[in-house]
Amino acid sequence: MEIPDIQDCVIIGGGPAGLTAALYLARFLRSVTVFDGQDGRARMIPKTHNLAPFPDGISGQEMLERMRTHALRYGAGLAAGTVEAVERHGRVFRVATDRQAAWARNVIFATGVFNHRPPLSGDDHAQGVARGLLRYCPVCDAHEVRDKRIAVLGSGTHGQQEASFLCHYSQSVTLISLDGFPANVRNGIRVLKPALTGIALPDSEVLITLQDGQTHPFDTLYVALGTTPRADPASCLGVELDDDGHIAIDAKHKTSLDGVYAIGDVTNGLDQIAVAMGHGAIAATAIHNDLSASAS
């Protein structure tokens, strides 16, 4: 097989983790390309207020555009495309998207996770998120809904934990279950036991309809239905996953395969922009140091 130019690294995923890694590698004078499927969770953020240095907040779209411009300035390559296969050929990797392919000595998986969504159409879901009626991350934005009427959609331990977390911000927290069988909860959390049958998003509130025919209004709905790591391309390559399906890594974000790294939400940890950016810096520095050592 004829192999074209081999880059130092290909990054799969153009979110905060991947773009930070690209910036660092470019400034290390390493050749790097980011393949971005343009469907990451950060793109949905209406405005984040806990990312320094943006005290007035910044939208996910604007943040990503700034990060892309920053990485490009120092020579990183950015390409739109969904990765369909990652193959190892000796000491190098071939990464193929639906549009092109690239070869690299190292691969970083920054593929994130899928949110499990409530029963809404795509358009209604997008509008709900944009208007702050639907939310996914209380660590990110519970400060914006303090003292509001908060609903949490989720059963089991995850739903209970999210509802308990939100009690720090409001005395009106209600847990709702898709299946209608939430476990017992404490901390003054209200539980609506009939199963969910409908969600409506008129104007500035969320209307929840239950199996008993009752409709309940809320100011915002946190969706606590869990996530699925987007680890399939890494798994097909033979990278080890943990028990929850995240890519297993060491302290330098190396996976079980030499030359393969994982950063951001596809690894097990706190799903935050600042954390993902730190992952990118760690992995990029490790790659640069390993490349320098192998060349000496």
Side-chain angles (χ1 to χ4, degrees):
M1 180 184 297
E2 182 179 352
I3 299 178
D5 292 339
I6 300 174
Q7 299 185 63
D8 291 315
C9 187
V10 164
I11 300 171
I12 303 170
L19 290 171
T20 300
L23 171 64
Y24 270 68
L25 285 165
R27 285 178 51 82
F28 286 141
L29 307 181
R30 299 298 182 181
S31 54
V32 56
T33 294
V34 178
F35 286 131
D36 184 5
Q38 300 181 334
D39 59 353
R41 295 194 300 172
R43 298 170 66 88
M44 297 192 309
I45 299 172
K47 185 172 285 191
T48 179
H49 294 270
N50 61 354
L51 181 64
F54 300 103
D56 295 323
I58 186 171
S59 72
Q61 292 276 14
E62 182 180 354
M63 174 193 67
L64 291 172
E65 184 55 36
R66 289 188 182 205
M67 295 185 76
R68 285 191 289 265
T69 300
H70 197 171
L72 285 169
R73 175 180 294 182
Y74 289 99
L78 303 179
T82 300
V83 171
E84 297 179 335
V86 182
E87 303 166 344
R88 187 165 199 160
H89 297 267
R91 295 185 179 182
V92 297
F93 299 90
R94 181 179 183 270
V95 181
T97 75
D98 54 348
R99 306 183 187 190
Q100 64 186 98
W103 294 81
R105 298 175 180 84
N106 298 275
V107 175
I108 298 177
F109 287 96
T111 43
V113 299
F114 289 112
N115 283 121
H116 299 167
R117 295 186 174 189
L120 284 168
S121 70
D123 287 344
D124 286 345
H125 180 272
Q127 286 294 319
V129 171
R131 290 156 55 198
L133 299 177
L134 295 179
R135 298 174 183 270
Y136 283 89
C137 179
V139 174
C140 306
D141 55 25
H143 188 273
E144 276 64 62
V145 294
R146 52 196 192 283
D147 299 325
K148 301 292 187 180
R149 300 169 299 171
I150 300 172
V152 178
L153 178 62
S155 56
T157 301
H158 182 60
Q160 295 176 50
Q161 290 176 341
E162 193 142 312
S164 294
F165 183 94
L166 286 159
C167 285
H168 180 67
Y169 295 89
S170 174
Q171 294 182 357
S172 178
V173 178
T174 301
L175 180 60
I176 302 164
S177 175
L178 279 176
D179 56 25
F181 299 101
N184 294 327
V185 294
R186 292 177 290 179
N187 299 330
I189 298 168
R190 179 189 181 199
V191 177
L192 297 180
K193 293 187 176 180
L196 175 78
T197 58
I199 301 173
L201 306 172
D203 299 326
S204 59
E205 65 180 4
V206 181
L207 297 180
I208 300 294
T209 303
L210 304 179
Q211 201 168 42
D212 61 1
Q214 297 281 331
T215 297
H216 303 266
F218 299 96
D219 296 307
T220 195
L221 171 65
Y222 276 91
V223 182
L225 299 176
T227 61
T228 297
R230 303 172 71 163
D232 285 350
S235 179
C236 291
L237 186 62
V239 170
E240 289 183 7
L241 308 181
D242 66 17
D243 292 340
D244 296 320
H246 296 93
I247 300 176
I249 54 169
D250 67 9
K252 293 184 178 180
H253 289 267
K254 297 180 180 181
T255 71
S256 58
L257 295 182
D258 288 341
V260 181
Y261 296 73
I263 58 178
D265 298 349
V266 75
T267 66
N268 197 359
L270 181 63
D271 292 0
Q272 289 289 290
I273 295 169
V275 173
M277 293 169 70
H279 289 182
I282 293 169
T285 303
I287 288 172
H288 171 64
N289 288 338
D290 286 349
L291 287 169
S292 296
S294 64
S296 60

